[in-house]
């Protein structure tokens, strides 16, 4: 029969409340008591995680998920998996779209605090890391580097950038575009860009990089992806290929077709993420596949570990792979 | 100066708690007391709604949003707007993906109940309406007809079906396909289909209708939209046009292009929803635009009215419009 919390309390000679404090890492417990509890847990081969969970008096089984906007297909897929893995362990998610606004982010943090949620998954932020630390809540971050105390779950953007550079070079391009984020040091997309640039330089592949300037309003406004890509490609007519993200790749395919530019013979495109629509366009989109489902699964499991007072690696970097489809010349 | 809750209590000669019970419709109050409170509220020209809100002791300012899956782009856009309008009035949303599983839906209802949420927006359900009624919570439904006690927010699917039939007929089609839901009496998509069929019959337009059979598993699995559409179109080679939803229209465009079928000269396509990508494909998708933002706004405002004990119309039907793009012949 498995040991209960009472068995541990009895063996350690302390109250159940002390063990609760110990497991939840809340309130004062002397070092001597800590040692006794540790020993008792060990001797009884006790499962402190489950106990810790059961003991969380104020646990609301709710996780706040902070993203820029659920209309962005990457986040729709990510949140789908976060919700899936959260519900598997009996947690719900509170969806918070910040629209990149510090105001909205601040309001949400205030709300989440009042709501006594159990933890936060952060996939967008504009506020300084101190704001998150001051919440004294378990926080994990997806694709945003805050500091080493907040565990980061991401995919191998360095490899992603390298794979794209290699692919475009091997497919015969000598002058290519990069259209995506590149200036935000906390966003792993910048690592992707820097790696892409570095390998392009190595291969002697010229890169014209630009960052799309999104409008911030959301209500009723369409994404202006198409317009952004149209302007970018119109200003750089000598490009032979493009590295971007899947939604902008979709727009780039349309812009090429509008102008009679043949894909992949005249122009090659590599996206990022492998979103659901990437195989449905014509030509279908060659892309760097991120393991979105695994990112979500790790975010949930790491958050749970933090809730249980366990140590969590400061970075979890998941593998990516090149998916060759029709928007590149595949040898 | 506006009357306060205390003024009402004083005038009615009852406790503030009684008025709270009255306004929240919770706990026992005798008919005599009810009458006194009613009179006092009337005499003081009291604003019971705001008071009711302030008095909700247990209000969590949380709305449960039940959808099949946030990866389905329509729901990503809908939830984006629900979140937006909810946050404007200080509410958060709890996202619940049911994946069309009664089990998951049941688990969620149980969770939502325990969590003391303030209301539910239902955009998918498999459980009988009684389950929702037994929660004794304000519920509004989007695009799903449960019964007349649960307010339905929808768009004019009858007009949508008619517009599509008219458009395909006027563009010269004489044999068209319908690929979408058609058998679920509670889903307004069935109204859309029935209207489409009715007008096609009227115009002498032959319709080959079929319902896509989705697989239910979600984890790691891609939508099989492409495969479904490929099979459907392969079995019905004589079609001159198709009425479906935007994501399947995207797949249909690819399938036509794979087979060298020219759009719109050889084959015309009309989607539904006007999702963000509909203008980005090549050809771009002619579609029936649903006012998704308005549907979300009405769902939130109607839910708030229910929370405040106000009357709400049993149906709110918002307008739709035909957006002519490149996948049809536009005269």
């Amino acid at each position: 029969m498995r040991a209960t919390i009472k068995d541990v309390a009895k063996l350690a000679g302390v109250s159940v409340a002390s063990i609760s404090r110990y497991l939840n890492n809340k309130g004062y417990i002397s070092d001597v008591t800590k040692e006794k509890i540790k020993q008792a847990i060990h001797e009884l081969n006790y499962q402190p995680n489950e106990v810790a969970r059961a003991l969380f008096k104020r646990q609301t089984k709710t996780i706040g998920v902070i993203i820029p906007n659920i209309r962005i297909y990457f986040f729709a897929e990510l949140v789908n998996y976060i919700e899936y893995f959260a519900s598997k362990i009996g947690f719900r998610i509170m969806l918070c779209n910040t629209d990149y606004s510090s105001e909205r982010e601040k309001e949400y943090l205030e709300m989440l605090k009042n709501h006594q949620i159990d933890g936060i998954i952060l996939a967008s932020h504009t506020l300084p890391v101190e704001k998150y630390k001051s919440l004294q809540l378990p926080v994990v971050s997806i694709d945003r580097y805050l500091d080493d105390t907040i565990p980061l779950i991401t995919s191998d953007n360095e490899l992603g950038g390298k794979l794209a550079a290699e692919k475009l070079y091997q497919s015969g391009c000598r002058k290519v575009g990069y259209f995506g984020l590149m200036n935000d040091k906390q966003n792993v997309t910048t690592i992707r860009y820097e790696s892409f640039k570095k390998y392009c330089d190595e291969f002697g592949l010229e890169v014209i990089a630009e960052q799309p300037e999104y409008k911030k309003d959301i209500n009723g406004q369409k994404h202006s992806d198409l317009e952004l890509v149209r302007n970018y490609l119109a200003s750089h007519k000598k490009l032979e290929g493009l590295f971007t993200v899947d939604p902008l790749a979709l727009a780039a395919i349309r812009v090429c077709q509008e102008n009679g530019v043949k894909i992949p013979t005249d122009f090659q495109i590599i996206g990022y993420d492998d979103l659901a629509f990437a195989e449905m366009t014509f030509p279908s989109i060659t892309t760097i596949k991120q393991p979105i489902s695994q990112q979500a699964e790790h975010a949930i499991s790491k958050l749970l570990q933090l809730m249980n007072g366990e140590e969590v690696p400061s970075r979890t970097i998941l593998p990516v792979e090149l998916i060759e489809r029709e928007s590149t010349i595949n040898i």
Side-chain angles (χ1 to χ4, degrees), chain A:
Chain A
M1 224 172 85
R2 279 173 64 177
T4 71
I5 179 76
K6 287 185 184 168
D7 299 330
V8 178
K10 204 171 163 190
L11 184 61
V14 301
S15 68
V16 168
S18 296
I19 293 172
S20 164
R21 277 203 302 279
Y22 170 82
L23 292 169
N24 292 309
N25 210 10
K26 276 180 186 168
Y28 174 77
I29 316 169
S30 72
D31 288 347
V32 179
T33 307
K34 268 185 198 163
E35 203 43 52
K36 280 184 197 161
I37 294 173
K38 224 161 148 182
Q39 288 253 348
I41 285 172
H42 181 73
E43 259 176 66
L44 293 167
N45 188 24
Y46 199 56
Q47 306 289 327
N49 303 354
E50 291 181 28
V51 179
R53 254 175 284 162
L55 283 176
F56 259 119
K57 283 189 310 272
R58 314 195 76 177
Q59 204 183 35
T60 55
K61 297 252 177 202
T62 308
I63 294 166
V65 179
I66 300 181
I67 61 167
N69 197 307
I70 194 75
R71 284 180 83 188
I72 302 173
Y73 297 143
F74 172 78
F75 291 106
E77 299 203 11
L78 179 67
V79 168
N80 175 60
Y81 290 116
I82 290 176
E83 195 270 354
Y84 176 78
F85 290 109
S87 79
K88 276 182 95 168
I89 56 162
F91 278 72
R92 287 143 308 204
I93 65 167
M94 199 87 94
L95 183 68
C96 312
N97 288 340
T98 64
D99 290 311
Y100 303 104
S101 142
S102 307
E103 256 337 289
R104 300 233 319 143
E105 197 175 328
K106 228 178 277 177
E107 280 166 31
Y108 262 122
L109 287 193
E110 203 50 46
M111 273 200 212
L112 292 174
K113 214 166 101 186
N114 295 339
H115 195 76
Q116 297 161 347
I117 55 161
D118 303 324
I120 292 176
I121 294 175
L122 197 63
S124 174
H125 80 105
T126 54
L127 299 176
V129 62
E130 286 70 32
K131 281 275 177 203
Y132 286 91
K133 288 190 178 175
S134 72
L135 294 174
Q136 296 189 290
L137 272 174
V139 179
V140 303
S141 169
I142 293 179
D143 286 348
R144 299 293 179 280
Y145 173 74
L146 286 105
D147 74 9
D148 283 332
T149 66
I150 293 184
L152 169 68
I153 317 294
T154 185
S155 68
D156 194 342
N157 281 272
E158 200 167 330
L159 179 61
K162 182 187 175 196
L163 288 172
E166 269 177 4
K167 175 70 192 166
L168 288 172
Y169 180 75
Q170 285 164 4
S171 309
C173 295
R174 292 300 171 261
K175 183 170 181 172
V176 296
Y178 171 85
F179 197 48
L181 282 179
M182 48 198 262
N183 297 327
D184 178 355
K185 283 285 170 201
Q186 296 192 315
N187 191 319
V188 293
T189 309
T190 304
I191 297 173
R192 181 191 310 170
Y193 165 67
E194 283 169 358
S195 167
F196 178 70
K197 177 78 173 88
K198 182 183 124 195
Y199 284 97
C200 283
D201 287 351
E202 228 166 72
F203 300 142
L205 199 52
E206 192 184 336
V207 180
I208 309 286
E210 218 171 85
Q211 179 160 306
E213 295 302 330
Y214 283 97
K215 289 171 195 150
K216 281 189 177 181
D217 55 348
I218 66 127
N219 181 21
Q221 294 291 356
K222 277 275 168 69
H223 292 152
S224 50
D225 283 356
L226 190 57
E227 212 180 315
L228 289 168
V229 171
R230 209 178 262 138
N231 292 340
Y232 171 75
L233 291 179
S235 326
H236 307 291
K237 291 196 186 260
K238 294 280 174 64
L239 297 179
E240 298 157 336
L242 179 67
F243 179 37
T244 185
V245 291
D246 287 354
L248 297 177
L250 173 68
I253 288 173
R254 171 161 176 100
V255 172
C256 285
Q257 286 166 330
E258 281 173 354
N259 296 306
V261 174
K262 287 204 173 62
I263 303 168
T265 38
D266 298 344
F267 193 79
Q268 303 190 46
I269 300 171
I270 300 181
Y272 210 95
D273 289 346
D274 195 27
L275 301 178
F277 64 79
E279 62 166 9
M280 284 203 276
T281 55
F282 192 77
S284 55
I285 303 169
T286 292
T287 191
I288 310 291
K289 183 185 177 69
Q290 292 208 71
I292 302 179
S293 146
Q294 281 180 53
Q295 282 177 262
E297 190 172 6
H298 277 273
I300 291 292
S301 69
K302 298 290 180 284
L303 198 61
L304 194 64
Q305 288 174 334
L306 288 179
M307 288 177 198
N308 293 338
E310 293 169 30
E311 290 270 330
V312 166
S314 66
R315 293 186 188 209
T316 304
I317 301 178
L318 299 162
V320 298
E321 59 175 320
L322 173 72
I323 308 287
E324 294 187 342
R325 293 204 184 93
E326 298 159 350
S327 65
T328 50
I329 296 169
N330 305 318
I331 307 134

